[in-house]
Amino acid sequence: MQSLFLAAAGYTFKVAPDPNVPGAAGIQHAINGFAVYALMAAAAGFLLGAATWAIGGRIGNEHTAVGGKIGMVTSLAVAFLVGAAATLLNFAFNLG
């Protein structure tokens, strides 16, 4: 058993993504579609948060106004993460 571990320890693994594998274009298309829907949802959330903030501020309900602010910030964070996802993943992959 120890010789098996020694043999495995001497082997180095190398991961090299191949964009030409079968099905990669379809998966990429699905990911792009998901990103579009996520950005649309973030835009809708931003607008709803703005409306909630405006209405809450207008009627004097601080709890509702703060909820609208949180909704806007959350929507901005989601849009940022969707836009930066590829760059963040490529950065993390290139670290190792």
Side-chain angles (χ1 to χ4, degrees), residues 15-65:
V15 177
D18 182 12
N20 297 322
V21 296
I27 293 172
Q28 182 64 50
H29 186 69
I31 291 171
N32 290 343
F34 179 74
V36 167
Y37 291 131
L39 288 174
M40 286 181 187
F46 186 83
L47 294 175
L48 287 172
T52 304
W53 182 8
I55 292 169
R58 178 72 177 138
I59 64 173
N61 189 339
E62 189 64 29
H63 181 72
T64 303

Side-chain angles (χ1 to χ4, degrees), residues 2 4 11 48 62 68 79 82 84 86:
Q2 188 176 11
L4 178 64
Y11 185 79
L48 287 172
E62 189 64 29
V82 168

